[in-house]
Amino acid sequence: MIEYRIDRRSGVATYLQIVQQTKQALRLGLLEPGDKLPTAREVVAATAINPNTVLKAYRELEREGLAEGRRGLGTFVQGTLGRGSADSELRAELAAWADRARAGGLDKDDVTALFTSVVEERFEERAKGAEDTTRTTRTTRTKGDHA
């Protein structure tokens, strides 16, 4: 079962932290359809947050089709996001990289900033390449249509 960790200094709304952590667990395969999420009471006991905050997060997950509330039984995972795995080879490589970064003197914020910048750069390139291909196709069609 997932255990939520709330970072009160993050600037991210508490209910969104719950939503994000649930989505991350789904992506990593730690949660699968049919799994039961902790009750609001369990989350409140572990994190000292308002029960309405937990319920708001679960409603958001339901709205997105990722969870389903069953009256008297709890909230269950309904959908999935994952193509990755918590024990995949890529995860092991990333863990080794993080260990090297830490040994090299980088702290958590440094590693997060570095990783985020590389991910944004790499995925932006892929999106830009697809966008350029679409633009070229449109331009070619437009020129051909006017000829």
Side-chain angles (χ1 to χ4, degrees), residues 1 26 44-45 51 53 70 78 84 87 89 102 109-110 122 124:
M1 184 180 295
L26 287 167
V44 168
T53 302
R70 299 180 192 157
Q78 181 176 340
D87 59 354
E89 186 177 323
R102 189 176 192 183
D109 291 336
D110 296 334
R122 293 297 187 228
E124 185 175 295

Side-chain angles (χ1 to χ4, degrees), residues 88-101 111 115 119:
S88 73
E89 186 177 323
L90 285 173
R91 188 182 197 301
E93 290 175 24
L94 185 56
W97 175 83
D99 290 342
R100 287 194 312 274
V111 169
F115 180 78
V119 168

Side-chain angles (χ1 to χ4, degrees), residues 47-58:
T47 61
I49 61 174
N50 188 304
N52 290 326
T53 302
V54 180
L55 297 174
K56 182 176 182 178
Y58 285 4

Side-chain angles (χ1 to χ4, degrees), residues 25-88:
L26 287 167
R27 282 189 179 92
L28 293 173
L30 301 173
L31 284 175
E32 297 179 352
D35 288 348
K36 186 175 190 260
L37 295 176
T39 65
R41 182 175 290 162
E42 290 168 336
V43 177
V44 168
T47 61
I49 61 174
N50 188 304
N52 290 326
T53 302
V54 180
L55 297 174
K56 182 176 182 178
Y58 285 4
R59 280 193 306 274
E60 178 64 20
L61 291 166
E62 287 177 22
R63 190 187 67 72
E64 294 183 25
L66 299 173
E68 175 187 31
R70 299 180 192 157
R71 196 159 189 77
L73 298 175
T75 303
F76 293 82
V77 174
Q78 181 176 340
T80 186
L81 296 172
R83 287 191 289 184
S85 172
D87 59 354
S88 73

Side-chain angles (χ1 to χ4, degrees), residues 76 79 94 104 107 131-132:
F76 293 82
L94 185 56
D107 67 14
E131 184 179 297
D132 289 345

